[in-house]
Amino acid sequence: MKARDIMVSDVPVITASATVAQAVQMLKDNYGDESFINAAPGLVVLSERGGLAGILTPLSVITALIGEAAMTAAEKVDESFFSKRCEAIKALAVSEIMERQAISVTEDARVADIAELFVKHRFQRLPVVKGNRVIGIIYRSRLLFAMTEKMTG
């Protein structure tokens, strides 16, 4: 079995120059309902040339929202904390908070090799590329189900 057999080809993408506010809206539009409550949402971030630049995950945005650890506990508890942080980061470029993920696989990558990458790097998703272009994404759950197909029939 190869990457092409288990990848999802309908990949939500955003450019590195898009704003964090645009990215959050795209995450809401693509993953905001209850059916995705246990999903591993994220956006593939493309460079201006269309190649893989990184991944934007909910954790990327949460990390940016929390900000510098220098905030006092009292400030973090204040109800206006996240409103202020939203204002502070909403116009940032996605490239400023994304995870730079240089690791991807080709559509011919073997499932065993993909599994090793997931375990070694603790990925939740892995882009699939053809040349310089992102053509799909493999989610950890799809990998698991492909590997255990014989277990469940």
Side-chain angles (χ1 to χ4, degrees):
M1 195 175 315
K2 306 277 186 178
R4 77 172 64 79
D5 302 318
I6 62 172
M7 72 180 193
V8 175
S9 56
D10 184 19
V11 182
V13 298
I14 194 162
T15 63
S17 61
T19 66
V20 172
Q22 291 169 319
V24 168
Q25 186 61 55
M26 187 175 276
L27 283 168
K28 272 186 180 179
D29 292 346
N30 284 285
Y31 303 103
D33 66 49
E34 287 295 316
S35 66
F36 288 101
I37 200 74
N38 293 317
L43 303 173
V44 171
V45 182
L46 301 178
S47 67
E48 299 311 315
R49 293 179 154 191
L52 177 63
I55 302 284
L56 184 80
T57 67
L59 189 58
S60 309
V61 179
I62 291 168
T63 301
L65 280 170
I66 290 173
E68 298 299 318
M71 296 283 181
T72 67
E75 286 175 312
K76 288 184 179 178
V77 172
D78 183 279
E79 289 185 25
S80 65
F81 175 79
F82 289 114
S83 295
K84 291 175 190 171
R85 291 300 301 156
C86 283
E87 281 300 314
I89 72 165
K90 72 180 186 181
L92 290 178
V94 166
S95 61
E96 294 186 50
I97 69 165
M98 71 183 187
E99 298 172 21
R100 299 193 189 287
Q101 185 169 331
I103 298 173
S104 59
V105 295
T106 66
E107 60 188 331
D108 293 322
R110 295 176 322 131
V111 167
D113 296 329
I114 295 166
E116 285 185 31
L117 288 172
F118 269 82
V119 171
K120 181 179 181 183
H121 299 285
R122 306 194 64 72
F123 290 145
Q124 290 194 22
R125 68 201 57 73
L126 188 60
V128 179
V129 296
K130 186 174 192 171
N132 223 12
R133 202 175 54 115
V134 176
I135 61 167
I137 195 158
I138 299 171
Y139 293 103
R140 187 166 44 189
S141 57
R142 286 183 71 105
L143 175 64
L144 168 70
F145 300 146
M147 293 172 68
T148 60
E149 186 178 338
K150 299 294 183 204
M151 200 182 290
T152 58

